[in-house]
Amino acid sequence: MPELALFPVPAPAGDERQLPRNIEAEAAFLGAILIDNRVVEDLPVALVPDHFFEPLHGRIFQQTMALIERNSIATPVTLKPFFENDEAMKAVGGVGYLAQLTGSGAGLIGARDFARQIFDLALLRELVGVGRTLVESALDTSESVDPQAQIEEAETALYRVAGGEAEMGSVKSFSAASLTALQAAERALNSGGHLSGITTGIGSMNAKIGGMHNSDLMILAGRPGMGKTSLATNIAYNAAERFRRDEEDGIPPEKNMGAKVAFFSLEMSADQLATRVLAEQSGVSGEALRMGKISKEQFQQLSRAAQTLQTLPLFIDDTPGLTIAGLRTRARRLQRRHGIGFIVVDYLQLLQGSPKSGDNRVQEISEISRGLKTLAKELNLPVMALSQLSRQVESREDKRPQLSDLRESGSIEQDADMVLFVFREDYYVAAREPKRPIEGDDVKIHAQHEEWAAEMERVFGLAEIIVAKSRHGSTGKVRLHFEAKTTKFSDLADESQAYADYE
């Protein structure tokens, strides 16, 4: 690394003298940018102002980047008006310090190395902070001791440091946030005007909700038998398959419409879930598959589907009795190792809270729903959690679910960015089948069964996805086709009837 001039920056006081830093490298790096603005186009890391140990350097970097992003030239002259009243700048001799930064061209030679060192030293300082907090928390026994909670908090903090985020990444300028929003709009435009998030693989659902968005908690709920697990596996497969297809087509990750998926199955085992996905994709009945009642031709269909699924980026965790803390730990590990971009949890009520929630189930569910929302934001990906509905649905004439039907609904409804209900009217119509007429029965019995058969024909194979809450758009419903034999949801043949908004 080339020798650097020592610039007269004020020395920090107190314990901070011991923190890792290289103020000279910061100064040389800033000088390199001010000499040649193109330096920022080829950095090995994404620097932000908080990565700089010296606050003045952070402000200089921030203003420099603001000028560059506006297609202006950043030089000591163009920066001068922004720092004439800066007290820290006055302390180092005034705005002439900006010219001092460019006094040596040494920074141009090692700009990439300096950027990497500034970034690494910032992470080390964050690591020191995490360590201090961990030690102080472990030594403090003035309140109730909960080592497991402290371990979870420490792991969360370490994960953020490992991701280069930590506290320095928690504040985002409006310009950066608006750029992200613009990129989402461009993504939707390029997909044909419907999809700004990860695809569900079902066109009419994408058209209604715009795909699944990063940092969102989505609740997918329904009464038993409605097919909520089937819909979740359909969506998980579709997202993973789209990711693989886009990747093979050479589409860059930021424009990939799919995602690698982690499926936490607390109810079904991994092989049961795999059997269901195999049935969905091969067209072979899941029941026939489990009982071995399949033909050679069907076995060949299964073999082809299994070969296709071998490279599918879908990871299944069927650990029973997971706590919300344990799920978050496993999800972080999966993202670190495999780069997952979408999480499914089947289902929310089977997760466990921390011991401090005691026997208070409502408090425990609140902790779980908050934990899932925090996980979605922390990993910046959509989380879909399946949920049960209370039995009060069955007592109404109209069985369509409402938000109040969510079990322990207060916290779930509050934390969710989107609530989807699965409703199949044919399930309830089938249960109302009257006595089958036999020879000799009167006309009334025959008429009742014919009336029921006509109603069953009208609703058979139809499903509704009710969007009861959406922070990104309108509520409404999507009508889909449901193939009971393979438990597969798909668009209706008549796309014009695929979905309709509630007034």
Side-chain angles (χ1 to χ4, degrees), residues 361-374:
R361 184 58 177 165
V362 173
Q363 182 179 332
E364 186 177 21
I365 290 295
S366 298
E367 179 189 346
I368 291 167
S369 64
R370 279 196 305 270
L372 290 172
K373 175 58 184 174
T374 301

Side-chain angles (χ1 to χ4, degrees), residues 184-244:
E186 181 188 18
R187 181 186 176 105
L189 178 66
N190 293 338
S191 71
H194 293 315
L195 192 61
S196 59
I198 295 168
T199 183
T200 64
I202 303 173
S204 49
M205 276 193 71
N206 286 339
K208 180 61 184 170
I209 67 174
M212 300 176 292
H213 302 86
N214 287 340
S215 81
D216 272 6
L217 172 60
M218 305 172 67
I219 299 297
L220 177 62
R223 288 291 294 158
M226 291 293 105
K228 56 184 181 292
T229 299
S230 299
L231 181 59
T233 56
N234 285 181
I235 292 172
Y237 171 86
N238 292 339
E241 173 59 24
R242 179 61 181 266
F243 179 89
R244 179 173 62 182

